[in-house]
Amino acid sequence: MTGEPERLPALTSEEMSPAQRAAAAALIGGRRGALFGPFIALLRSPELLNRAQRLGEYLRYDSALPPRLRELAILITARHFDQAYEWHVHAPEALAAGLAPEALSELAQRHPPTALAPDEHEVYEFCRELHERHQIGDANYGRVRERLGEQGLIDLIGVCGYYALLALVMNAARTPLPEGTEPFAQPSSPSSTAR
């Protein structure tokens, strides 16, 4: 990403404390099935990892948001925070969920996406305003509340906040992209690394 060395690389089992081994085993034994990306750095604080990954598991797999809108919100967050690993994992999932490739390309280039359905456009404007202004005006709030209901609205805010946390962790840790991967590249198919 920056060409600088990774700050918090993966720990070996021998380097882990008992609490770290337990947190890693819980993550690997859960829906994610692996210790990767932000969880490698978060393992330095096993209780934070445990609590964060449970929140993330809800937001990623069980929230009130349709996958297409959830993945769009994740990508908006990843691009806002210049988090290429998060983008790498979720861009293929966004395509698989039905987002237009043109929209991903425009987001990657920091252009307002023109290839969005009405509900996607509302989510884009909501997330963009939340990240840029740190609040939501009445118009965007009202549209998203009408579209997603109060639970969906809160889950959308949760997705933005959770993936912002992961982006900041990975940016600080300098989590690298997989070898040979270009930052904010256009995916060709769903990724097997997305969990």
Side-chain angles (χ1 to χ4, degrees):
M1 302 202 321
T2 62
E4 298 176 88
E6 184 177 7
R7 288 178 169 152
L8 296 169
L11 298 170
T12 66
S13 182
E14 295 76 30
E15 294 172 317
M16 291 182 201
S17 70
Q20 288 171 323
R21 278 194 291 280
L27 187 78
I28 293 165
R31 289 169 122 169
R32 296 185 201 308
L35 181 65
F36 62 97
F39 306 112
I40 290 171
L42 283 170
L43 188 58
R44 272 44 179 218
S45 179
E47 191 57 32
L48 177 58
L49 181 140
N50 286 332
R51 292 174 189 228
Q53 82 86 18
R54 283 193 300 269
L55 172 62
E57 188 174 272
Y58 167 75
L59 292 169
R60 177 73 178 85
Y61 301 108
D62 301 317
S63 79
L65 298 175
R68 179 176 47 87
L69 299 181
R70 179 195 65 235
E71 293 300 327
L72 174 60
I74 294 168
L75 293 181
I76 293 164
T77 303
R79 198 62 188 105
H80 178 79
F81 287 97
D82 291 323
Q83 193 11 261
Y85 186 95
E86 202 164 65
W87 182 279
H88 166 74
V89 170
H90 287 277
E93 295 303 306
L95 286 178
L99 281 174
E102 300 82 12
L104 270 66
S105 179
E106 290 169 327
L107 275 173
Q109 297 171 39
R110 294 192 179 280
H111 298 289
T114 57
L116 295 178
D119 59 346
E120 295 165 355
H121 181 73
E122 291 168 2
V123 165
Y124 170 78
E125 288 298 329
F126 185 95
C127 295
R128 182 193 57 76
E129 184 177 9
L130 185 61
H131 287 309
E132 291 175 7
R133 294 186 59 227
H134 313 291
Q135 56 186 307
I136 297 294
D138 290 341
N140 282 335
Y141 179 88
R143 281 189 288 271
V144 168
R145 183 175 183 242
E146 178 71 23
R147 173 82 64 183
L148 300 176
E150 289 182 343
Q151 181 181 351
L153 181 139
I154 291 298
D155 285 357
L156 179 59
I157 295 167
V159 166
C160 289
Y162 174 73
Y163 284 92
L165 166 68
L166 297 187
L168 292 171
V169 166
M170 288 187 285
N171 285 348
R174 296 181 182 152
T175 300
L177 281 167
E179 195 69 37
T181 303
E182 290 295 318
F184 304 102
Q186 183 73 11
S188 57
S189 64
S191 170
S192 61
T193 62
R195 293 187 169 94

